Amino acid sequence: MKLGSPFRPRLLSALLFSIFLGSAPATPAQERGELRIATSYKLMTLDPQYANLNENTSLLSHIYERLVYQDENLELKPGLATSWRPLSDTQWAFKLRDKVRFHDGSAFDADDVVYTIERIRDFLKPPSGGFRSYVSGIKSVSAPDPLTVLIETDGAVPNLPLFFSSLFVMNRPAKGFETTENLNAGHPPNGTGPYRFESWSSGESLRLARNDDYWGGKPAWSKVTFRVIENPAARVAALSTGEVDVADAIPARDVASLKERGARVASVGAARVNFVQFDVARDTLPGVTDRSGEPIANPFKNPLVRRALTLATDRGILVDKILAGYGTAAAQVFPNGLPGTSANLLPEAPNYDEAKMLLAKAGFPDGFNLVLAGPAGRYPGDAESLQAVAQSWARIGVNAQPAAAPFSVFNTKRAAGDYGVWYGGTSGEAVDIILHTLLASPDPERGTGALNFGKYRNEAFDAMLARAESIAVGPERNAALAQATELVMADQPIIPLYHFHHIVGYGSRIGSYVLHPRGWTTAMQTLPAME
């Protein structure tokens, strides 16, 4: 494994552009019947605006569409909106695509966008908050004409188009707001997407039919069936026997056997990071003691200790052995090359001698004991990663006891402060969203630090991040985010471990499968084999 190898996004051809815009138009030779997909994603609701979960985002994108979408390089592209521009620091204008129709035949226009924003902001109250954070800063929204939406925000929101890349547009009903209960009870979902809803059995299947009137061109598949198969081995078996054409979330250990059976595999580095996080706030920590078992002052407050543990972490073992090569060693929150990442941050090979010297300089020449917590079964290689990190740290005298637990248990205990250091993971639409939630100082008023369970604070970083977030989406903002990332990672509040790869397998009926770093599984990414 080359620790310094950057992530190189693939250039989109005109065909791939059409795939992520909505659906690849089918040619007569390509057109096929039913596409069968085995998915790990368990669709829990037909309400596209209720839960901000990848399973809903992925599956419901066949039916509903967004004003803006992110291509496979996470760049913003026109969707239902053809263009957008700021009129002032607090005003935006979005121009909409003409001659788009919902599945019931009604015309899409600006009033549907107004309804979408107001439903999310004013009506829905999901337990997790859903998508409300994306529109909470919108003061007013209006439709001066059928193809124009004007938005006024409470303050400057330069990345408003990025927020809209997460919001599905719904059709305004005759009166009131559509309830989640009605949508889940069988009221047919009515979107503008390339496929129409046919049926849904919660936790079992989702059936779709081609939208022959789709504005983006006739979709390649006449029907699409998603089978929910949560067990990875069962998904692999279904693909191997030809029961399905595509299977997502393939374990790295099964790739070789799938290829031997004639299946093909696609993979891409995930727009996410798995990491070790330290509690740097409390004076003493649970599970952290000297070598004799006596409590000690929190060692993670000392940046020399955090640096020593970083130098004692062998990412090569994690990527090459545990992830079987289907991962990228990490030095920041997104794979190198994606917008907002720094080309200067590259993963380091372990240096145990220097790590020992830093520990001694910090006052721990003999090391110390700790409990290294983490989830089991949440992420690829999570429990095994705990073991590997513990073995690496043992080489500098830090005796780490791995403690893996089901994610629900781990998450509850982490929130309760039961851990002093832990393994975790997170993803998001963009680098700034991860920095905002994971590393910015916790501040409920600003909404920062929601995942900063270690209570890390760095005023210089906060200021740099705030400046970056005040810049419109584009090269200048990306450069500012890269600089802020370089500053904060020099302080090592977390140890980035790896960006695991999304892996999808597909059979002989599929010509190619285009993966997205957000991990979506869709029929639009699946092109039929040419005869």
Side-chain angles (χ1 to χ4, degrees), residues 6-25:
F7 174 84
R8 295 181 176 87
R10 289 161 289 166
L11 295 177
L12 288 175
S13 66
L15 177 59
L16 298 188
F17 183 92
S18 69
I19 289 172
F20 285 108
L21 185 60
S23 179

Side-chain angles (χ1 to χ4, degrees), residues 306-337:
R306 303 197 297 269
R307 176 62 180 158
L309 292 174
T310 299
L311 285 173
T313 301
D314 190 344
R315 296 173 176 87
I317 289 178
L318 302 178
V319 170
D320 293 338
K321 302 300 182 183
I322 295 174
L323 298 178
Y326 285 91
T328 304
Q332 53 192 314
V333 298
F334 269 8
N336 286 23

Side-chain angles (χ1 to χ4, degrees), residues 123-135:
F123 178 70
L124 288 180
K125 293 181 174 59
S128 63
F131 295 93
R132 184 170 295 176
S133 62
Y134 297 107
V135 298

